[in-house]
Amino acid sequence: DNPPHPEITRGDWQGEFLGTWMDAACKTAWYANDLELRQKIDKMLKDWLATQGKDGYLGTYHEADRWKSWDLWIQAHDIIGLLSYYWYAGNQEALTAAIRVADRVMQDFGPGKEYLHNGPHGGMASSAILEPIVWLYWETGDERYLRFGQWLVDEDWEAPGGIAIISSLLAGNGVAHTANAKAAEMLICFSGMVELYRATGDERYLKPVLIAWDDI
């Protein structure tokens, strides 16, 4: 309640760090066979999951302030970190937590619900959820996650005010004139599109990525 550095914004994009650290730490610990790091990871997971809400939310915003800024970006990185722990440690609790995060997002967003594209960078930050949501489809076989990914790209992105990545690149605008041209977030969207292509075999999701590759 009384942070030591009150000038630091609380509840913003910094919430991504836990998931990002977990992802990197798992890969490092298992590839390097670093037992000390594994112990740190185990403790962090326990402490982290203790903060997950009863509704599945795992983030840094008070309930009244959710979904107004970087929340979906944070949830995406949560899922990435949790899935990495599950893959390397075989911990079912981590997979269950990742599913709960995704299902909480899908309570408010998706077909017939809210669009994601009102977040930072025109919605590209929020669209980071695409790649890990398709990973959950691969892991669980639950078609809801695949349908959510298709809805995000086909409907949300192309709705008025959406980031329109596919239509922009197909129109020849190039990456510098697509959405707000923020490179990191756009690259993450491309990664999600590749996963969606792998899951569906639909060339519509791959062709714009190849166009962007050639443009870059």
Side-chain angles (χ1 to χ4, degrees), residues 55-73:
D55 62 352
Y57 178 82
L58 186 59
T60 51
Y61 288 84
H62 292 296
E63 186 170 358
D65 296 322
R66 291 182 190 173
W67 313 142
K68 298 177 182 178
S69 185
W70 286 90
D71 250 6
L72 288 160
W73 169 266

Side-chain angles (χ1 to χ4, degrees), residues 3 27 177-178 192 204:
K27 292 171 181 174
H177 300 285
T178 293
R204 294 184 304 115

Side-chain angles (χ1 to χ4, degrees), residues 70-192:
W70 286 90
D71 250 6
L72 288 160
W73 169 266
I74 292 169
Q75 304 306 291
H77 286 78
D78 288 343
I79 297 172
I80 291 170
L82 290 168
L83 283 177
S84 285
Y85 187 89
Y86 169 68
W87 289 328
Y88 286 98
N91 183 290
Q92 185 67 37
E93 186 179 14
L95 176 61
T96 299
I99 290 170
R100 293 182 64 214
V101 171
D103 288 353
R104 178 63 190 90
V105 169
M106 290 168 58
Q107 285 182 27
D108 290 341
F109 301 93
K113 301 175 185 178
E114 295 292 325
Y115 287 126
L116 277 73
H117 64 233
N118 59 348
H121 301 296
M124 283 201 295
S126 298
S127 295
I129 198 80
L130 176 60
E131 184 176 31
I133 211 82
V134 179
W135 288 347
L136 276 178
Y137 162 70
W138 286 120
E139 198 57 54
T140 66
D142 191 331
E143 294 280 344
R144 294 180 305 128
Y145 301 128
L146 182 59
R147 290 196 297 268
F148 183 89
Q150 291 175 298
W151 164 83
L152 175 60
V153 175
D154 295 339
E155 184 176 334
D156 184 314
W157 287 5
E158 298 300 329
I163 54 180
I165 288 178
I166 288 181
S167 58
S168 177
L169 291 170
L170 291 179
N173 293 327
V175 294
H177 300 285
T178 293
N180 74 341
K182 182 68 165 56
E185 283 77 1
M186 192 182 298
L187 181 61
I188 291 172
C189 290
F190 291 155
S191 296

Side-chain angles (χ1 to χ4, degrees), residues 10 46 51 54 58 72:
R10 301 294 178 178
K46 182 179 178 180
T51 72
K54 293 181 179 179
L58 186 59
L72 288 160

